[in-house]
């Protein structure tokens, strides 16, 4: 017999798998934590490789530029540098199984950023935001999902992520009093992913520990939403022969350059 009793209820939601329950959590309260998406060994590999990418990116530009645009301690477009970030992170099956339920079969990767929340240092992600900046509308169903892979335990001491449950369902940013009463820290163990509606208000916490707190944020969107930085341009055709990756990386949803190319793309699909 069910533990949950009710009366006067005709419509029900069935969750007979972990995946369905994660999806239900995202749809209603805006977030879930999926445990064990990376092994201990994969977490270590991810940290090392992420630091290498960030070191490379720091050399591309004067540090003054990165600081000025508040982009310090963010390693961008990781999967372009190493396919570990594509296969083990962005395409992680435990995560994409849930995204499949929430966004449907066709979604693309919009961003993949390594986030270093330094011990005792200010970081702009401490500020509340939606991952789609300046957007104040609500949608009856999710169209963008963020999956933050935790390369450390995330908690209140080391600056774990704070979320405002169900805030994807409201337009304006809530009052200070409401936020202080309702914000929660998503305590998430190392190797797990905090998966949330990208319209949910969230922020990193203040890292009061002695160690940097590191995560990788992946944002998955329906294909009519533009990538922040074009993966097809950065990858220059790499992976485009694989039908799934062609869609996932955004090759198929790039803006066509002219009428003829637009028509030819459709013609080639019909072959
Ligand atoms: O580092 C965090 O806890 C949050 C990161 C974040 O909000 C982002 O990458 O957009
Ligand atoms: Fe964010």
């Amino acid at each position: 017999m069910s533990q949950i009793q009710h009366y006067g209820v005709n419509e029900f939601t069935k969750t007979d798998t972990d995946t369905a329950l994660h999806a239900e959590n995202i749809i209603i309260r805006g977030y879930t934590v999926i445990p064990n998406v990376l092994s201990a060994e994969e977490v270590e590999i991810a940290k090392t490789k992420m630091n290498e990418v960030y070191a490379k990116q720091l050399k591309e530009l004067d540090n003054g530029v990165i600081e000025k645009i508040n982009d310090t301690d963010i390693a961008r477009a990781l999967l372009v540098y190493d396919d570990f970030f594509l296969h083990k992170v962005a395409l992680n099956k435990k995560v994409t199984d849930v995204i499949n339920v929430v966004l449907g079969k066709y979604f693309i990767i919009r961003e993949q950023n390594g986030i270093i929340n330094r011990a005792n240092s200010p970081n702009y992600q401490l500020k509340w935001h939606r991952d789609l900046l300046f957007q104040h509308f609500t949608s009856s169903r999710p169209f963008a999902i963020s999956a933050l892979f935790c390369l450390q335990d995330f908690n209140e001491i080391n600056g774990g992520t704070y979320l405002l449950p169900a805030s994807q369902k409201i337009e304006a940013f809530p009052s200070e009093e409401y936020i202080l009463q309702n914000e929660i820290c998503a305590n998430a163990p190392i190797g797990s992913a905090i998966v949330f509606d990208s319209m949910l208000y969230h922020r990193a916490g203040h890292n009061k520990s002695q160690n940097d707190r590191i995560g990788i944020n992946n944002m998955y969107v329906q294909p009519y939403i533009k990538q922040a930085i074009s993966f097809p341009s950065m990858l220059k055709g790499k992976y485009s022969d694989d039908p799934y990756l062609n869609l996932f990386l955004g090759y198929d949803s790039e803006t066509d350059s002219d009428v003829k190319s637009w028509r030819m793309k459709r013609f080639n699909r019909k072959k």
Side-chain angles (χ1 to χ4, degrees):
M1 209 186 78
S2 160
Q3 290 176 0
I4 304 287
Q5 309 215 344
H6 45 75
Y7 71 98
V9 180
N10 281 333
E11 295 184 6
F12 299 92
T13 306
K14 248 198 146 35
T15 49
D16 39 17
T17 60
D18 284 351
T19 301
L21 186 56
H22 285 305
E24 190 178 8
N25 270 305
I26 296 171
I27 288 164
I28 299 176
R29 66 177 186 177
Y31 70 95
T32 194
V33 176
I34 307 181
N36 303 319
V37 296
L38 294 180
S39 67
E41 193 191 343
E42 286 166 342
V43 163
E44 288 315 310
I45 297 173
K47 274 193 222 168
T48 308
K49 288 185 183 290
M50 195 185 114
N51 282 327
E52 286 167 10
V53 173
Y54 188 52
K56 227 183 228 175
Q57 292 182 347
L58 280 180
K59 285 196 195 126
E60 282 172 6
L61 281 171
D62 190 88
N63 196 26
V65 174
I66 293 177
E67 229 168 78
K68 187 143 189 200
I69 62 164
N70 291 328
D71 214 32
T72 306
D73 295 334
I74 304 182
R76 296 204 174 261
L78 297 173
L79 65 83
V80 173
Y81 296 78
D82 197 306
D83 62 10
F84 175 89
F85 296 109
L86 175 64
H87 295 297
K88 298 290 180 190
V89 183
L91 292 172
N92 190 287
K93 188 159 166 16
K94 284 190 185 152
V95 172
T96 53
D97 278 353
V98 174
I99 312 265
N100 254 317
V101 177
V102 181
L103 292 185
K105 290 274 174 256
Y106 186 10
F107 53 85
I108 67 168
I109 182 106
R110 179 175 189 257
E111 299 190 33
Q112 189 187 49
N113 302 321
I115 314 281
I116 308 166
N117 186 352
R118 300 254 180 227
N120 268 310
S121 135
N123 175 323
Y124 88 101
Q125 297 292 4
L126 295 188
K127 296 178 184 166
W128 287 101
H129 62 281
R130 289 180 153 149
D131 278 348
L132 290 147
L133 304 184
F134 301 111
Q135 300 310 308
H136 283 286
F137 64 93
T138 60
S139 165
S140 58
R141 55 178 75 188
F143 55 90
I145 299 291
S146 302
L148 184 54
F149 283 60
C150 304
L151 306 187
Q152 244 101 34
D153 286 332
F154 272 39
N155 55 44
E156 288 176 37
I157 295 161
N158 72 353
T161 309
Y162 282 72
L163 308 162
L164 195 60
S167 58
Q168 79 279 12
K169 295 174 187 286
I170 47 104
E171 294 188 344
F173 187 52
S175 69
E176 220 166 287
E177 293 75 9
Y178 181 88
I179 291 166
L180 293 172
Q181 253 180 38
N182 292 288
E183 66 174 4
I184 57 121
C185 179
N187 282 296
I190 186 164
S192 66
I194 306 169
V195 184
F196 55 98
D197 189 312
S198 304
M199 293 293 278
L200 184 83
Y201 281 107
H202 63 280
R203 66 174 172 93
H206 183 205
N207 186 352
K208 292 168 261 180
S209 77
Q210 301 307 312
N211 301 308
D212 296 347
R213 193 234 60 187
I214 302 175
I216 301 175
N217 194 11
N218 299 259
M219 191 171 168
Y220 306 88
V221 295
Q222 288 184 334
Y224 52 81
I225 296 175
K226 265 206 310 200
Q227 291 171 335
I229 311 168
S230 163
F231 280 106
S233 307
M234 289 185 281
L235 289 166
K236 303 183 180 70
K238 194 172 173 189
Y239 309 117
S240 63
D241 292 345
D242 178 301
Y244 183 80
L245 292 181
N246 187 288
L247 300 181
F248 180 72
L249 293 166
Y251 283 103
D252 194 64
S253 47
E254 285 267 272
T255 305
D256 293 306
S257 50
D258 52 53
V259 176
K260 197 170 139 201
S261 335
W262 184 87
R263 285 188 170 137
M264 282 313 293
K265 187 151 97 191
R266 270 143 197 84
F267 177 72
N268 289 325
R269 268 191 212 142
K270 299 263 179 221
K271 273 186 183 169

